[in-house]
């Protein structure tokens, strides 16, 4: 494989940036990187761009002081009760709800709290039959709002990054069905967040028995003769093995599948999907139909179950094994398979490090994952191994931020005051990130090529502009007010926002462009020329410009 | 003069062209005669559309036995629409696809049944990848089939390829010049007057030199924004037909507008999802077809003056299981239906060879077999309409050119050489 231009350029730049970069603008000198190419940033920038949605004011200095290991361990052991600011913001948040009157319900237009987040499952289940569709999908909007608040204000940034990862790994289209939307706070909290740093086998069963997934992939109606294959297919292809381990050319000849040195088939075939689908027949939701309880929780209907013998991954599951036994056996088989372990570990490294993570890093993750297969904190231990491996800091430039990450980092690093609103949600959707609204079970792609489309770039850049405007409700900016009184000249202003938003100096070319934008024809070591309003527009343009830089996009 | 609907479908109505010209006066506008190359629009139905349930052999006893709970009748309320025979087997079109019946009867629309990806994958995502990269069995190919087609045609337009989704499909993987435009009016950068212009100029320079993975995409974005802006697109776009509401129509309108803007568009792609009918197929499929066929009908008529240069292909990753499941849906299958619409299509026919639905005729005993490789369909359009003879580059794994007679046009001596590297200096991944 030939080295790409990017890798070559970064390789050349790494040696040139050994200098310690100070966030404090009074500390001199600030040396831009010598080349026009992006430089490799200091470790705290790498850490905060991958383990967090960017840096709040002071974050770069704090992480630099505490060191990577302490920061990783802090982030892996969240104390949610201590996240006072974030918790208060969620408790006080108001999200507008508006709909016209309809049969049996009046018109509503009010600012309402995120009330469904604290509702019990039976209370949420009742919402699915609310006469207003807006009320039926309201719980999803509230989780979206809460997750935006957490992305921007939570102290436990890594937990939020991983919550987003697992929501995409076990993707459910929350708006596709009002039974799913009504229960959405439950899926977010008791399935995704509860298992985020936990044990994968437990996680898998929690997902497989969640009403959200049972409805989304149709297993709730799967019964003997013929079974619905939707969930079983994606269980193999997306939740565990990955399609790279799908041996479709073998189709149904399970005896022909090559074995590994422990006698296990090396991949899965269509017949495994068909057999697994039979194993999950009768795994449904208690929806009150046909004499079963009406509680909205997982329910097993034995009379729907195909209880005959099955062959899954060359394992015989004997007939009449008992309630749910075959389904759980399938979960055991797929969760423990080495192909699954490598697939999940690769995905973790792709999220936390780069699009094409080094094999040596994936190998380390696989080793920790495997050694802790039964541990209640298997996922946490694996993440720790990835973040503290030398490869974590040795790689840079192999991934860009997705639109939601760009926007969150922009809001965090500019100290914006954020109140999530429908405008923010719909704009992010236009940019391509459809939080809980991604239709296919793949979840959002995690490779930069997808996020480099002209649509994603342009709309995200434009959103960064809109966010600063008075007409755009979700955020309020006070750029001038945040600058220390010592920051007065063009050069100081540019350096201040460069260090707040990037945490290190960009290339000389970029620096020149930023100085020209802020300074125009004036002296760079004097206060900016022009009227107060003109200077305000240029300061706004400067911050917008930094948000569009390759340095800001790289993670 | 009252224009009948039928004329509108097929005719190159000067009255309508004049009307459109009047309404859109003063704007840069491509005269249909200015367009040198044919335009291909590729509509991908994501999720595996149930071709068996769209163009159905209702008389077939095997079909009836497997599908009686989820199909439409051939008489009475909600009856299917007769399409004639494929071989000796009569077929009916789904009643919710009535807008397509009109295009079929006017001989602008052809169906190709029992077609698709011969690789036996039942995975959506693998099947789409194989098809769109144009290399079944190999999903590590670094370019899409449309990328390679465009590389061979040396496009000279300012926006030769567009996609309307959030991102490019795999068929445009590695393309150095494809852009995504979902809204032509909004295809401009926001900023404060002069300072905005300075930002744009600075980004133009910065993104040629950073070595970041965004260099090429950002450069492409900035140059295409300038090209679109120079043509002063109508705000808002005023089509000459009424499209149904919805995202599919919005995408089609963006393509129609770009075609009329004369930016050298040769290929446009768009996605329409929601076809994965594992459950409750009857209402879902009916609604999908209603939206698809009415939207494409409006699009086709909106481009009434461009019919002689326009070919629209509608494809999906696979068909669905013959036998319905107990959720009143169908699971992933194999052979499927493809559709081709355009002014040079030999429409009004169902092409291909019907393999039959008896157990022995089915793929693995369960799914419709494939008798026409999807690349056969695309190859004919590439050669006869898009005038590209480099099939060895576009579809490196095929070695025969066997046109079905789907479209009019002369054949060419096929160049079977591959070696696309020389055409693609920026091959990525």
């Amino acid at each position: 494989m030939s080295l790409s231009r990017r890798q070559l350029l970064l390789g050349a730049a790494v040696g040139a940036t050994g200098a310690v970069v100070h966030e404090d603008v009074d500390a001199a000198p600030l040396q831009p990187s010598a080349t026009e190419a992006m430089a490799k940033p200091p470790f705290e920038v790498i850490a905060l761009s991958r383990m967090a949605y960017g840096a709040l004011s002071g974050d770069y200095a704090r992480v630099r002081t505490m060191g990577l290991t302490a920061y990783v361990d802090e982030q892996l052991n969240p104390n949610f009760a201590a996240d006072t600011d974030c918790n208060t913001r969620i408790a006080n948040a108001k999200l507008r709800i508006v709909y016209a009157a309809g049969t049996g319900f009046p018109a509503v237009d009010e600012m309402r709290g995120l009330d469904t987040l604290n509702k019990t499952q039976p209370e949420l289940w009742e919402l699915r039959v609310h006469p207003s569709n807006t009320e039926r999908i309201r719980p999803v909007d509230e989780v979206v709002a809460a997750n935006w608040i957490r992305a921007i204000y939570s102290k436990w940034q890594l937990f939020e990054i991983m919550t987003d990862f697992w929501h995409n790994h076990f993707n459910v289209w929350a708006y596709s069905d009002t039974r799913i939307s009504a229960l959405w706070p439950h899926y977010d909290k008791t399935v995704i967040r509860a298992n985020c740093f936990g044990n994968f086998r437990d996680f898998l069963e929690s997902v497989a028995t969640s009403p959200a997934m049972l409805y989304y992939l149709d297993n709730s109606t799967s019964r003997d003769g013929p079974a619905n294959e939707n969930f079983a297919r994606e269980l193999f292809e997306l939740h565990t093995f990955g399609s790279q381990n799908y041996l479709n050319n073998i189709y149904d000849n399970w005896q022909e599948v090559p074995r590994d040195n422990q006698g296990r088939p090396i991949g899965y075939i269509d017949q495994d999907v068909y057999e697994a689908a039979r194993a999950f027949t009768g795994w449904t939701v208690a929806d009150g139909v046909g004499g079963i309880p009406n509680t909205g929780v997982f329910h097993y209907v034995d009379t729907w179950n195909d209880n005959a013998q099955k062959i899954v991954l060359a394992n015989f599951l004997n007939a009449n094994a008992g309630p749910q036994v075959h389904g759980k056996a399938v979960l055991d088989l797929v969760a423990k398979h080495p192909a699954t372990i490598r697939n999940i570990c690769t995905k973790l490294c792709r999220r936390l490090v780069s699009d094409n993570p080094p094999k040596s890093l994936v190998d380390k993750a696989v080793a920790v994952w495997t050694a802790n297969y039964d541990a209640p904190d298997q996922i946490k231990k694996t993440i720790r191994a990835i973040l503290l491996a030398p490869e974590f800091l040795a790689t840079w430039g192999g991934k860009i931020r997705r639109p939601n990450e760009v926007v969150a980092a922009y809001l965090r690093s500019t100290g914006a005051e954020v109140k999530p609103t429908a405008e923010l949600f719909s704009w992010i959707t236009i940019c391509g990130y459809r939080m809980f609204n991604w239709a296919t079970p793949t979840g959002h792609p995690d490779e930069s090529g997808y996020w480099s489309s002209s649509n994603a770039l342009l709309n995200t850049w434009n959103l960064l502009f809109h966010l600063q405007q008075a007409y755009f409700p979700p955020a309020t900016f006070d750029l001038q007010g945040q600058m220390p009184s010592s920051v007065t000249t063009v050069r100081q202003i540019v350096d201040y926002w460069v260090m707040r938003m990037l945490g290190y100096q960009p290339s000389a070319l970029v620096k020149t462009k930023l100085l020209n934008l802020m300074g125009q024809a004036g002296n760079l070591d004097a206060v900016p020329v022009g009227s107060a309003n003109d200077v305000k527009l240029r300061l706004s343009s400067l911050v917008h410009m930094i948000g569009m830089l390759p340095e800001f996009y790289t993670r | 003069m009252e224009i009948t609907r039928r004329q509108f479908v097929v005719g190159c109505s000067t009255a309508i062209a004049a009307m459109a010209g009047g309404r859109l006066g003063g704007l840069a506008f491509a005269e249909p005669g200015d367009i040198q190359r044919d335009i291909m629009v590729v509509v991908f139905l994501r999720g595996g559309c149930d071709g068996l349930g769209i163009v159905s052999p209702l008389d077939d006893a095997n079909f009836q036995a497997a599908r009686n709970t989820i199909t439409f009748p051939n008489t009475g309320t909600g009856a299917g629409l007769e399409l004639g025979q494929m071989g000796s087997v009569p077929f009916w079109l789904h009643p919710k696809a009535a807008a397509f019946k009109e295009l079929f009867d006017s001989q602008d629309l052809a169906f190709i049944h029992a077609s698709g990806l011969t690789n036996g994958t039942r995975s959506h995502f693998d099947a789409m990848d194989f098809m769109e990269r144009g290399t079944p069995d190999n999903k590590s190919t670094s370019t899409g089939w449309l990328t390679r087609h465009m590389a061979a045609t040396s496009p000279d337009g300012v926006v030769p390829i567009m996609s309307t989704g959030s991102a490019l499909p795999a068929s445009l993987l590695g393309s150095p010049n494809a852009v995504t435009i979902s809204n032509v009016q909004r295809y401009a950068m926001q900023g404060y007057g002069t300072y905005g212009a300075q930002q744009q100029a600075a980004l133009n320079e910065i993104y040629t030199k950073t070595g970041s993975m965004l260099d090429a995409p950002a450069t492409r974005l900035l140059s295409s924004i300038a090209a679109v802006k120079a043509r002063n697109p109508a705000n808002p776009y005023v089509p000459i037909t009424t499209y149904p509401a919805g995202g599919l129509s919005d995408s089609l309108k963006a393509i129609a507008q770009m075609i009329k803007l004369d930016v050298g568009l040769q290929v446009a792609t768009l996605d329409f999802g929601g076809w994965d009918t594992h459950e409750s197929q009857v209402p879902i499929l009916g609604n999908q077809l209603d939206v698809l066929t009415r939207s494409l009908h409006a699009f086709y008529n909106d481009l009434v003056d461009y019919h002689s240069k326009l070919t629209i292909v509608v494809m999906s990753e696979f068909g669905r299981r013959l036998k319905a499941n107990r959720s009143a849906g169908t699971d992933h299958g194999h052979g499927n239906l493809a559709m081709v619409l355009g002014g040079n299509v030999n429409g009004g026919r169902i092409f291909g060879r019907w393999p039959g639905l008896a157990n022995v005729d089915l793929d693995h005993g369960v799914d419709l077999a494939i008798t026409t490789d999807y690349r056969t369909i695309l190859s004919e359009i590439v050669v006869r309409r898009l005038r590209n003879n480099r099939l060895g580059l576009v579809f490196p794994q095929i070695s025969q050119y066997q046109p079905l007679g789907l479209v009019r046009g002369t054949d060419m001596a096929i160049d079977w050489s591959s070696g696309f590297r020389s055409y693609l200096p920026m091959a990525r991944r």
Side-chain angles (χ1 to χ4, degrees):
Chain A
M1 192 196 82
S2 65
L3 280 174
S4 70
R5 178 161 165 259
R6 167 174 53 79
Q7 287 167 313
L8 285 172
L9 285 167
L10 280 173
V14 170
T17 53
V20 177
V21 181
H22 299 276
E23 191 178 21
D24 180 359
V25 291
D26 293 328
L30 290 166
Q31 291 298 328
S33 85
T35 68
E36 290 175 338
M38 272 198 315
K40 191 179 170 204
F43 85 87
E44 67 272 15
V45 173
I46 296 177
L48 281 158
S49 69
R50 292 174 178 171
M51 296 168 55
Y53 288 99
L56 291 175
S57 179
D59 274 356
Y60 289 128
R62 189 178 77 88
V63 173
R64 186 170 64 241
T65 305
M66 73 195 292
L68 182 65
T69 306
Y71 180 58
V72 167
D73 284 331
E74 173 200 270
Q75 289 294 308
L76 282 172
N77 295 287
N79 174 356
F80 296 107
D83 204 2
T84 322
D85 176 48
C86 181
N87 294 342
T88 306
R89 286 173 182 274
I90 291 173
N92 294 338
K94 303 278 184 206
L95 185 65
R96 188 176 177 207
I97 181 163
V98 51
Y99 52 86
T103 311
F105 62 93
V108 166
D109 185 354
E110 65 188 34
M111 296 301 291
R112 188 189 293 173
L114 309 183
D115 300 344
T116 66
L117 301 184
N118 300 314
K119 283 192 192 297
T120 63
Q121 175 147 351
E123 287 171 334
L124 293 171
W125 180 241
E126 286 309 308
L127 279 179
R128 83 197 185 286
V129 292
H130 195 287
S132 157
N133 187 59
T134 311
E135 295 283 3
R136 298 196 291 264
I137 62 172
R138 169 78 181 182
V140 191
D141 293 339
E142 293 188 1
V143 177
V144 171
N147 281 2
W148 268 104
I149 294 171
R150 293 186 183 110
I152 293 160
Y153 294 108
S154 175
K155 292 166 72 167
W156 311 116
Q157 289 278 298
L158 180 60
F159 191 82
E160 294 307 312
I161 296 278
M162 294 315 298
T163 296
D164 177 72
F165 171 84
W166 290 117
H167 262 299
N168 279 298
H169 183 75
F170 292 118
N171 185 61
V172 170
W173 183 13
Y175 293 97
S176 64
D177 185 316
T178 56
R179 296 167 301 184
I180 299 174
S181 62
L183 290 173
W184 196 246
H186 177 264
Y187 187 69
D188 179 66
K189 193 160 144 187
T190 69
V191 179
I192 299 295
R193 290 177 177 274
N195 291 290
C196 186
F197 284 169
N199 176 279
F200 184 73
R201 172 62 183 81
D202 293 345
F203 204 160
L204 203 57
E205 189 162 326
S206 180
V207 169
T209 56
S210 69
M213 190 62 82
L214 287 162
Y215 284 129
Y216 176 51
L217 293 182
D218 304 330
N219 208 79
S220 63
T221 58
S222 187
R223 52 174 88 182
D224 188 12
N228 190 312
E229 294 161 12
N230 205 5
F231 171 71
R233 168 79 57 187
E234 308 310 0
L235 172 69
F236 281 91
E237 181 170 332
L238 298 172
H239 299 170
T240 62
F241 275 66
S243 68
Q244 67 272 28
N245 296 297
Y246 170 36
L247 308 170
N248 79 68
N249 55 318
I250 302 178
Y251 191 74
D252 57 358
N253 299 316
W254 65 272
Q255 285 149 312
E256 290 178 15
V257 178
R259 305 297 180 95
D260 67 13
N261 58 13
Q262 292 182 44
R264 294 170 297 208
I266 62 166
Y268 70 96
I269 58 176
D270 290 283
Q271 183 166 282
D272 290 320
V273 172
Y274 303 154
E275 296 282 82
R278 296 172 56 217
F280 291 110
T281 47
W283 288 44
T284 187
V285 180
D287 62 358
V289 177
I292 64 177
N294 188 15
T295 52
V297 301
F298 173 75
H299 190 76
Y300 173 74
V301 181
D302 198 50
T303 51
W304 292 7
N305 183 252
D306 176 349
N307 59 2
Q309 185 197 50
K310 304 169 185 78
I311 306 168
V312 179
L313 295 170
N315 280 265
F316 284 78
L317 307 180
N318 290 333
N320 306 314
Q324 298 182 56
V325 169
H326 282 181
K328 289 183 182 185
V330 170
L331 295 179
D332 285 338
L333 287 166
V334 296
K336 203 162 193 169
H337 196 283
T340 295
I341 297 175
R342 183 154 292 273
N343 183 43
I344 306 287
C345 287
T346 304
K347 285 189 72 173
L348 285 169
C349 293
R350 183 173 296 134
R351 179 87 296 250
L352 291 168
V353 181
S354 74
D355 286 357
N356 297 300
K359 182 176 178 297
S360 58
L361 180 64
V362 178
D363 289 345
K364 286 171 191 169
V366 165
V368 174
W369 183 281
T370 308
N372 292 283
Y373 183 78
D374 294 315
D377 56 354
Q378 176 195 24
I379 297 169
K380 180 200 284 194
K381 285 184 163 132
T382 307
I383 293 171
R384 187 175 192 276
I386 293 168
L387 300 176
L388 294 180
E391 291 89 342
F392 181 69
L393 293 181
T395 52
W396 186 248
K399 195 168 197 69
I400 63 167
R401 283 174 164 151
R402 300 196 278 215
N404 60 318
E405 296 165 353
V406 174
V407 169
Y410 186 74
L411 295 168
R412 278 169 66 79
S413 63
T414 53
E417 181 62 30
V418 181
K419 289 189 169 42
T421 69
E423 289 86 354
L424 179 63
F425 310 157
S426 63
W427 260 92
I428 286 288
T429 302
I430 291 168
C431 295
Y433 198 85
R434 305 157 179 273
M435 192 186 284
F436 312 140
N437 202 8
W438 184 268
T440 58
T442 52
H444 292 84
D446 200 2
E447 285 173 334
S448 305
Y450 182 87
W451 300 102
S452 316
S453 76
S454 30
N455 180 74
L457 288 179
L458 176 63
N459 286 307
T460 306
W461 292 357
N462 285 345
L463 175 54
L464 301 187
F465 177 82
H466 292 309
L467 279 166
Q468 287 201 47
Q469 309 307 315
Y471 58 72
F472 204 68
T476 334
F477 284 69
D478 179 13
L479 301 176
Q480 191 68 48
Q482 292 184 67
M483 293 193 289
S485 55
S486 58
V487 175
T488 57
T489 71
V490 171
R491 209 181 290 281
Q492 287 169 340
I493 292 169
V494 169
D495 278 335
Y496 178 80
W497 287 107
V498 157
M499 296 312 289
R500 276 281 296 268
M501 295 177 71
L502 301 179
Y504 71 117
Q505 288 292 327
S507 71
L509 172 68
V510 166
K511 193 68 184 287
T512 304
K513 298 294 180 190
L514 297 177
L515 289 167
N516 289 346
L517 181 64
M518 191 67 219
Q520 297 294 306
N523 182 348
L524 301 182
D525 292 308
V527 296
V529 294
S531 69
N533 187 56
D534 202 32
V535 171
K536 191 177 167 215
L537 293 186
R538 293 216 300 281
L539 180 57
S540 170
S541 298
L542 171 73
V543 165
H544 179 207
M545 180 78 187
I546 295 173
M548 297 188 282
L549 291 174
E551 284 85 351
F552 192 76
Y553 261 77
T554 303
R555 75 185 281 285
Chain B
M1 186 192 84
E2 186 72 28
I3 300 166
T4 67
R5 190 143 178 235
R6 183 61 170 278
Q7 279 175 312
F8 200 26
V9 170
V10 294
C12 178
S13 163
T14 48
I16 290 166
M19 183 176 78
R23 196 180 297 166
L24 301 172
L27 297 167
F29 212 60
E31 292 302 324
D34 293 347
I35 294 183
Q36 298 302 311
R37 297 178 189 271
D38 268 37
I39 299 160
M40 177 170 59
V41 177
V42 181
V43 182
F44 208 111
L45 307 182
R46 309 275 171 190
C49 82
D50 182 35
L52 266 175
I54 299 171
V55 170
S56 306
L58 297 179
D59 278 355
D60 184 302
N62 293 304
F63 183 85
Q64 290 169 353
R67 290 280 185 125
N68 64 347
T69 54
I70 60 165
T71 191
F72 50 86
N74 59 7
T75 56
T77 312
L81 311 164
E82 273 185 70
L83 290 178
Q85 296 185 338
M86 180 183 184
S88 58
V89 181
F91 281 83
W92 283 261
L93 180 65
H94 194 292
K96 292 281 190 183
F100 268 10
K101 179 66 162 61
E102 201 173 311
L103 297 169
F104 185 83
D105 288 345
S106 67
Q107 302 188 350
D108 288 43
L109 174 68
F111 294 112
I112 308 93
H113 221 322
S115 63
L117 172 75
T118 50
N119 177 290
T121 184
R122 265 71 174 169
S123 152
H124 294 294
F125 314 108
D126 275 3
M128 290 190 272
D129 238 10
F130 290 145
M131 287 180 102
E132 297 192 276
R133 288 175 203 242
T135 52
D137 310 328
N138 182 0
K139 57 178 173 174
S140 61
T141 311
S142 62
T143 52
W145 77 272
L146 285 170
T147 298
R148 295 191 299 275
H149 158 67
M150 291 302 287
T153 62
S154 308
D156 48 10
V158 284
V159 183
I161 326 171
M162 69 177 280
S163 180
T164 58
S166 296
L168 293 174
S171 55
L172 288 169
L173 199 65
S175 168
N177 45 13
V179 297
T180 52
I181 301 178
S182 47
N183 184 314
V184 181
Q185 289 80 54
R186 280 211 296 255
Y187 203 68
M189 273 184 74
Q190 299 289 333
Y192 301 111
T194 314
Y195 304 138
Q198 288 177 10
Q199 287 178 325
Q200 206 164 331
L203 288 169
N204 233 331
E205 194 176 340
I206 289 167
Y207 272 113
T208 58
K209 297 175 176 171
T210 68
S212 98
M213 54 210 316
L214 282 178
D215 274 11
T219 301
R220 195 183 320 159
L221 165 67
L222 292 162
S223 62
S224 57
I225 285 173
V228 170
K229 188 182 176 198
R231 280 163 179 75
N232 188 23
N235 184 15
Y237 171 61
V238 183
I240 61 171
T241 48
T242 305
Y243 289 70
L248 177 61
S249 283
D250 291 344
S251 294
L252 289 166
K253 278 188 252 186
I255 293 170
Q257 187 176 13
M258 289 293 284
I259 289 172
K260 294 177 186 180
L261 279 182
D262 191 21
V263 287
L265 192 69
Q266 291 174 231
V267 168
T269 72
L270 73 160
D271 295 339
F272 183 39
W275 299 89
D276 197 16
T277 49
H278 285 278
E279 190 178 276
S280 309
Q281 171 157 325
V282 171
I284 297 173
L285 182 64
N287 186 54
Q288 290 282 111
L289 282 172
D290 183 57
V291 172
L292 172 73
T293 58
R294 289 194 300 121
S295 303
L296 275 175
H297 188 276
F299 174 72
Y300 193 59
N301 277 337
D302 188 18
L303 292 169
V304 64
D305 291 336
Y306 299 82
H307 283 181
S308 66
K309 295 287 185 188
L310 182 64
T311 307
I312 301 163
V313 185
V314 183
M315 58 199 282
S316 187
E317 68 266 30
F318 45 59
R320 306 194 72 85
R321 189 75 41 84
L322 171 61
K323 187 176 179 183
N325 64 28
R326 286 290 301 278
S327 311
T330 50
D331 291 306
H332 300 183
H334 193 52
N336 203 4
L337 181 73
M339 312 173 216
V340 181
L341 170 65
N344 290 292
V345 172
N346 291 315
R349 291 173 57 189
I350 309 172
F351 287 86
R353 184 179 68 76
W354 186 245
L357 297 177
N359 196 264
V360 292
D361 299 325
L362 295 172
D363 185 69
H364 290 301
V366 289
D367 296 321
L368 178 63
I370 290 177
T371 54
T372 302
D373 189 308
Y374 81 103
R375 292 170 298 181
T376 302
I377 299 165
L378 298 176
S379 293
E380 182 177 339
I381 297 166
V382 164
V383 172
R384 289 191 176 176
R385 298 310 320 160
L386 308 183
R387 309 310 294 158
N388 174 11
N389 71 340
R390 297 213 50 202
L391 293 184
L393 171 64
V394 179
F395 295 119
Q397 294 165 337
I398 60 170
S399 54
Q400 280 187 309
Y401 174 62
Q402 296 170 310
L404 301 171
L406 270 174
V407 292
R408 293 184 284 278
T410 50
D411 286 323
M412 303 164 83
I414 304 301
D415 180 348
W416 292 110
S417 63
S418 53
F420 55 81
R421 287 179 195 285
S422 60
Y423 285 84
L424 275 183
M426 301 177 64
R428 294 168 64 217
R429 290 181 52 155

